Amino acid sequence: MTNLNSTVKVKYKKMRVGRGIGSGKGKTSGRGVKGQKSRSGVAIKSFEGGQMPLYRRLPKRGFNPIKKEKIAILNLNKIQNLIEAKKINKDTQVNIDFLKKNRIINKSYNKVKILGSGEIKDKINLSADFISKSAKIKLEKAGGTINLKQKN
């Protein structure tokens, strides 16, 4: 065996399987007799003989952050519909607690984002974590106010 720094090239001959008894890898070519592994084109990755494989025993974690903040999305047309249905009073401050209490959004949400789909006709005082540019423009055009919470 030569060391890695030597300039002498080392070349091992490739094992030729299935070339007679004398080669040491004749007849079944080192694959044993019969069975799935003796056949060609068979790859049994992570197969555990019928036992539940490890990758299925472990919980899914992947690209699903455990501490992901759930953000409720509220469009302007939805807010307008709620005002027309008298579920939201124009004079009240609309924030996440108000929305949760009136069951407009689910309890599991901890942040609100206002999006600009649709039109808003009434003045309304909103408090949210995020707002899109189009929603901000439409809201201010209607005479409403938006109070954005500061990022921690």
Side-chain angles (χ1 to χ4, degrees), residues 26-137:
K27 194 185 165 210
T28 55
S29 309
R31 285 173 173 262
V33 186
K34 293 186 179 177
Q36 193 175 11
K37 285 183 179 174
S38 71
R39 322 257 185 238
S40 68
V42 177
I44 317 172
K45 287 190 184 106
S46 74
F47 181 68
E48 298 184 21
Q51 175 178 303
M52 186 61 66
L54 183 68
Y55 71 91
R56 286 183 61 197
R57 273 180 277 168
L58 299 174
K60 290 194 275 185
R61 293 272 317 261
F63 292 90
N64 235 341
I66 292 170
K67 291 185 177 179
K68 185 180 178 184
E69 289 179 328
K70 285 183 81 182
I71 300 170
I73 290 171
L74 217 57
N75 276 306
L76 290 178
N77 60 355
K78 171 88 170 169
I79 295 167
Q80 186 61 45
N81 291 343
L82 291 165
I83 292 167
E84 287 167 7
K86 298 202 173 21
K87 288 194 176 185
I88 295 177
N89 192 352
K90 289 183 230 172
D91 308 324
T92 56
Q93 166 81 21
V94 178
N95 56 18
I96 192 160
D97 300 322
F98 175 84
L99 295 168
K100 282 182 183 180
K101 197 161 62 176
N102 292 327
R103 291 189 178 155
I104 295 163
I105 63 168
N106 196 313
K107 281 187 220 170
S108 62
Y109 291 111
N110 45 18
K111 289 196 177 182
V112 177
K113 182 168 185 172
I114 310 293
L115 298 181
S117 177
E119 291 295 323
I120 191 150
K121 300 171 192 107
D122 300 297
K123 270 189 188 181
I124 190 158
N125 189 9
L126 288 173
S127 179
D129 297 280
F130 313 103
I131 190 165
S132 67
K133 287 177 188 173
S134 62
K136 193 172 187 178
I137 293 164

